[in-house]
Amino acid sequence: MEIKGRFHRECKKDFGKITFLQLREAGGIVYDSLNRESGSRVHHANIQASKAVADIIRTTLGPRSMLKMLLDASGGIVVTNDGNAILRELDLAHPAAKSMIELSRTQDEEVGDGTTSVIVLAGEMLHVAEAFIDKSFHPTVICRAYSKALEDAIAVLDKIAMPIDVNDRVTMMELVKSCIGTKFTSQFGDLIANLALDATTTIGVDLGQGLREVDIKKYIKVEKVPGGQLEDSKVLKGVMFNKDVVAPGKMRRKIINPRIILLDCPLEYKKGENQTNAELVREEDWAVLLKMEEEYIESICLQILKFKPDLVITEKGLSDLACHYFSKAGVSAIRRLRKTDNNRIAKACGATIVNRPDELQESDVGTGAGLFEVKKIGDEFFAFVDNCKYPKACTVLLRGASKDLLNEVERNLQDALSVARNILKNPKLLPGGGATELTVSATLKQKSQSIEGIEKWPYEAAAIAFEAIPRTLAQNCGVNVIRTMTALQGKHANGENSWIGIDGNTGAISDMREQKIWDAYNVKAQTFKTAIEAASMLLRIDDIVSGIKKKQAPGSTPSKPTIEQEGEADNEQMIPE
């Protein structure tokens, strides 16, 4: 419209003097400047939103961090310093802020730790980019410099990483403790670290070629039972679930070395898919129909009892008649168990879940459990399949005074389990306390001297952004930030003292090896990758287009789109001179 108006005015003045090339150039200038202005505006908005998210959880980084009290929609209260738990409860309107929250969730899904660090680092990467946006640097140039910085940062991590022996229990304990030292439960000493290590080593499966599979989501269940003391928490050599036997008076509640059969089919007469009509002419026909049902259930039970089980567990229903046959044979039965629990029992006792009783084989019977017992804890009954010989699934039983305490302990335990899993998968250590970030920062600053062209400055800015983590740690300790950071930068300037960092409790500058403050390699590498790639993605956004239709007032007619006619372009009032 701008060009069209200008074109018509130029034509009126002197049509012979203007050429198409001049017109195209003029239009290009107009559109280029418009794009740069709108792009810059969007960049600034995105950066401000990202910084706001980072500032919300900046104070929760480190062992001396502050706690946040969250009010959820139903009026419940959560007190935590877990970055992901806090951001999950936030309801932010800005799309860039929502994107930042997703980072925390991604980090939690992938490695289970470093959720606060990734937000702080991504926010800082965007913050240092703001100066270059103001100087009309193209976002692609900044992103190119950032990706180069990421490659070099990962190379530095590989260089300073220290391999460890996963069978060395003491070292593993120290590492898990230092990774969850920033959490609320660090005040309970070795408890959570012990639980996490016991659980992950129990379910670990060697795949060969140095690979190890540790599926903490599928095969570790955390059961929270209020009451008792936190010290009563333990990892079972098997599984527990919130169920009782079908007929408590007639069936045994304690069986030593049980033979267990797991089923995924109903032990009751099949109900019709939809309405079923049966026409009974004589009175005896009713007895025949009932007899058929009974014979069907009896045949199923006999097929199962043929294998002399002590315990039968099914995911579906179990009729009274089947219950009668089982109790008569001295077999305990449990019905309507969750699929996930059934899978864990199968892994723990070596049984196979069977879909049809007539397909049962001796190899499907689980004989790996040492004890089946039903106990009453508080007001509820829990069944234990315990003392398993080779359990590849387990339950962590958490006891505690209140539900709020148990919820926070569970969140911290999940992080500890993730840390233990990461180390078992990739047994490498990095210094904690901001030492890794300072080493990366110092190395990148030196490398930036050798980079030619316009990318040198964004690369150097990325190097400075890594210092956000140790700076935030120093702030949360309450020490003099400028003095501490200057001293640390001096020690890291030559890149030799890669283990010098901040003690998160005292704020003192110390050797992380002596303090035993470590980080897992997987967590650090994932933090750097997620933060820098997300910052690059947000910088590449130059416009936000809403696809949400605005609601119209009831009864109003939708406005038709206006189409500009050629004659209207001559109107001098359209664009002011």
Side-chain angles (χ1 to χ4, degrees):
M1 207 163 124
E2 168 82 23
I3 301 165
K4 204 168 182 184
R6 181 185 294 183
F7 173 69
H8 277 274
R9 285 200 302 280
E10 292 291 341
C11 290
K12 280 180 178 175
K13 287 173 191 168
D14 190 351
F15 189 77
K17 285 181 185 174
I18 194 164
T19 63
F20 180 74
L21 187 66
Q22 286 170 318
L23 174 67
R24 196 174 67 183
E25 281 176 1
I29 291 162
V30 171
Y31 273 115
D32 192 29
S33 65
L34 281 173
N35 272 345
R36 198 178 299 145
E37 276 176 34
S38 77
S40 173
R41 200 165 53 245
V42 170
H43 285 132
H44 281 302
N46 285 349
I47 290 168
Q48 292 305 323
S50 306
K51 276 161 64 180
V53 173
D55 287 339
I56 289 170
I57 61 165
R58 193 182 292 277
T59 55
T60 65
L61 187 73
R64 284 280 171 258
S65 59
M66 309 303 284
L67 293 167
K68 302 278 182 192
M69 183 178 273
L70 310 173
L71 303 172
D72 59 23
S74 58
I77 294 171
V78 180
V79 178
T80 182
N81 68 348
D82 184 297
N84 184 43
I86 295 163
L87 292 175
R88 224 174 24 217
E89 297 294 332
L90 292 184
D91 184 22
L92 299 174
H94 199 283
K98 285 182 178 172
S99 173
M100 288 288 280
I101 290 169
E102 282 301 317
L103 292 193
S104 166
R105 194 168 298 161
T106 307
Q107 182 80 359
D108 199 54
E109 290 286 326
E110 194 63 29
V111 289
D113 196 18
T115 49
T116 306
S117 306
V118 76
I119 299 287
V120 171
L121 190 56
E124 193 67 19
M125 286 287 170
L126 288 164
H127 175 57
V128 296
E130 195 168 15
F132 300 109
I133 297 288
D134 288 340
K135 288 173 187 165
S136 300
F137 273 57
H138 198 281
T140 311
V141 175
I142 303 170
C143 294
R144 221 172 18 237
Y146 276 11
S147 61
K148 202 178 283 183
L150 174 60
E151 281 175 33
D152 293 341
I154 299 296
V156 174
L157 293 189
D158 291 331
K159 187 179 164 190
I160 63 171
M162 188 176 85
I164 59 160
D165 178 17
V166 290
N167 298 317
D168 182 359
R169 175 88 182 187
V170 178
T171 312
M172 291 284 284
M173 274 289 296
E174 293 292 349
L175 181 50
V176 176
K177 268 173 70 181
S178 74
C179 286
I180 60 162
T182 61
K183 308 290 179 192
F184 171 73
T185 47
S186 59
Q187 62 192 341
F188 299 111
D190 301 350
L191 178 74
I192 296 294
N194 265 320
L195 292 177
L197 272 180
D198 288 343
T200 45
T201 45
T202 298
I203 67 158
V205 180
D206 282 317
L207 303 175
Q209 298 176 342
L211 295 172
R212 196 171 171 84
E213 178 61 36
V214 185
D215 194 337
I216 61 173
K217 282 193 177 163
K218 217 172 182 182
Y219 298 126
I220 296 179
K221 174 84 182 287
V222 179
E223 281 282 358
K224 297 171 291 185
V225 184
Q229 292 180 309
L230 199 61
E231 285 73 26
D232 299 337
S233 304
K234 59 182 176 181
V235 175
L236 302 174
K237 277 194 172 177
V239 293
M240 68 176 276
F241 43 95
N242 193 351
K243 286 276 176 193
D244 193 4
V245 291
V246 180
K250 299 175 185 172
M251 292 177 173
R252 290 178 290 169
R253 276 185 166 160
K254 184 173 183 179
I255 307 167
I256 294 166
N257 296 328
R259 287 168 60 80
I260 301 173
I261 287 180
L262 302 177
L263 300 171
D264 181 19
C265 57
L267 298 178
E268 55 192 355
Y269 195 74
K270 283 182 186 170
K271 298 179 177 72
E273 289 290 323
N274 43 27
Q275 200 171 3
T276 311
N277 294 324
E279 193 174 329
L280 305 174
V281 181
R282 294 171 301 164
E283 194 180 330
E284 299 86 63
D285 291 351
W286 182 248
V288 172
L289 196 66
L290 290 174
K291 186 91 172 105
M292 283 167 63
E293 285 191 15
E294 286 174 14
E295 282 171 0
Y296 171 75
I297 290 168
E298 187 180 9
S299 69
I300 288 178
C301 291
L302 288 175
Q303 283 166 352
I304 294 167
L305 294 170
K306 197 164 60 179
F307 292 92
K308 297 185 172 58
D310 295 306
L311 177 64
V312 175
I313 298 174
T314 178
E315 293 172 28
K316 304 287 194 308
L318 190 143
S319 68
D320 291 344
L321 190 62
C323 174
H324 163 72
Y325 285 123
F326 283 145
S327 59
K328 203 165 130 187
V331 176
S332 297
I334 290 172
R335 64 182 165 197
R336 296 200 175 89
L337 190 73
R338 282 195 193 125
K339 181 83 182 166
T340 50
D341 284 337
N342 214 12
N343 285 334
R344 271 189 283 273
I345 297 168
K347 275 277 184 184
C349 69
T352 308
I353 298 171
V354 180
N355 295 314
R356 291 172 58 184
D358 51 339
E359 290 177 356
L360 260 172
Q361 297 173 349
E362 180 60 37
S363 58
D364 298 332
V365 181
T367 55
L371 175 71
F372 165 74
E373 190 174 12
V374 176
K375 289 183 190 171
K376 189 175 185 184
I377 305 175
D379 295 333
E380 297 187 71
F381 285 96
F382 289 89
F384 292 78
V385 178
D386 207 355
N387 297 347
C388 299
K389 290 172 197 160
Y390 310 108
K392 290 296 163 202
C394 68
T395 300
V396 182
L397 173 60
L398 290 181
R399 305 302 309 275
S402 69
K403 280 187 179 175
D404 287 336
L405 176 72
L406 281 175
N407 289 339
E408 181 64 8
V409 171
E410 187 195 12
R411 277 191 290 272
N412 296 169
L413 178 64
Q414 288 296 346
D415 285 354
L417 288 170
S418 302
V419 169
R421 177 196 62 189
N422 294 333
I423 303 158
L424 288 171
K425 279 188 161 184
N426 191 353
K428 281 188 192 171
L429 284 186
L430 286 168
T436 303
E437 286 83 359
L438 284 161
T439 307
V440 168
S441 177
T443 313
L444 295 189
K445 277 180 195 168
Q446 283 181 339
K447 275 204 171 178
S448 68
Q449 306 301 322
S450 59
I451 291 176
E452 293 177 0
I454 199 170
E455 288 172 22
K456 175 182 175 174
W457 291 285
Y459 184 95
E460 196 174 345
I464 294 166
F466 279 105
E467 291 175 0
I469 302 290
R471 190 168 62 246
T472 305
L473 278 173
Q475 280 170 351
N476 292 345
C477 290
V479 295
N480 188 316
V481 179
I482 297 170
R483 278 186 190 169
T484 307
M485 286 305 294
T486 309
L488 280 168
Q489 284 162 352
K491 288 187 184 294
H492 279 270
N494 53 8
E496 288 170 14
N497 303 327
S498 58
W499 286 80
I500 301 292
I502 300 173
D503 183 339
N505 288 308
T506 61
I509 295 171
S510 51
D511 190 326
M512 297 293 107
R513 264 202 204 92
E514 290 169 13
Q515 298 291 330
K516 293 182 178 166
I517 299 172
W518 295 324
D519 270 332
Y521 175 87
N522 271 22
V523 175
K524 271 282 174 271
Q526 187 66 37
T527 302
F528 289 2
K529 286 175 190 169
T530 310
I532 292 178
E533 284 169 12
S536 300
M537 183 190 74
L538 285 171
L539 284 172
R540 282 206 178 96
I541 296 167
D542 71 342
D543 223 332
I544 297 171
V545 182
S546 172
I548 303 164
K549 290 179 182 175
K550 287 183 179 174
K551 287 181 182 175
Q552 289 184 327
S556 64
T557 54
S559 57
K560 290 181 182 175
T562 53
I563 300 166
E564 183 186 320
Q565 300 298 322
E566 232 176 291
E568 290 172 12
D570 289 329
N571 189 353
E572 290 288 346
Q573 300 298 315
M574 196 163 67
I575 297 167
E577 287 288 336

